Amino acid sequence: QVQLVESGGGLVQAGGSLRLSCAASGRTFSNYHMAWFRQVPGKEREFVAAINYGGSSTKYADSVKGRFTISRDNAKNTVYLQMNSLKAEDTAVYSCAARSIGSGWPPYRYDYWGQGTQVTVSS
């Protein structure tokens, strides 16, 4: 079992930046691929970014390419999402997710989820 706790959300003006963190516990963090998703009420959850277990490979949704950066620190059991040039349409609850490396890269589903952190971008 992997426990995930997000932090770093908040209210920011359009064009601003935020950095989200997701702290993992319970299992060996470096054995998991990690990802960020976001969801707006009434809409389906949307993939944002993913990073492989070692941090050497990343993937991004087209909507965030060039603005968001996913990274991880395996020594701190933490994955990050640096969000720059934020837009009103980035407003959502952001959740991190984990998937065992045994499933291959990139994962097509994730097994463990955090509770999420709210990001609100004012225009």
Side-chain angles (χ1 to χ4, degrees), residues 38 46-48 60-68 87 89-90:
R38 64 187 183 187
E46 175 189 20
F47 168 79
V48 175
Y60 295 93
D62 287 344
S63 59
V64 306
K65 278 181 183 177
R67 300 188 299 122
F68 291 10
K87 306 175 182 179
E89 51 263 43
D90 294 319

Side-chain angles (χ1 to χ4, degrees), residues 1-4 22 24-35 50-57 70-74 77-79 96-107 109-113:
Q1 191 79 0
V2 177
Q3 292 79 42
L4 303 172
C22 172
S25 62
R27 292 285 179 90
T28 303
F29 183 63
S30 57
N31 285 345
Y32 290 85
H33 304 310
M34 301 296 296
I51 188 167
N52 74 338
Y53 70 100
S56 62
S57 182
I70 188 171
S71 62
R72 66 189 295 160
D73 186 337
N74 285 349
N77 292 348
T78 301
V79 61
C96 65
R99 173 75 166 170
S100 171
I101 60 176
S103 65
W105 174 258
R109 66 179 181 90
Y110 289 81
D111 298 320
Y112 303 101
W113 295 84

Side-chain angles (χ1 to χ4, degrees), residues 8-10 12 15-20 38 48 67-69 81-86 90 94 119 121:
V12 63
S17 299
L18 278 177
R19 189 177 83 153
L20 305 183
R38 64 187 183 187
V48 175
R67 300 188 299 122
F68 291 10
T69 302
L81 185 68
Q82 178 67 44
M83 305 185 294
N84 299 329
S85 302
L86 283 161
D90 294 319
Y94 285 71
V119 172
V121 184

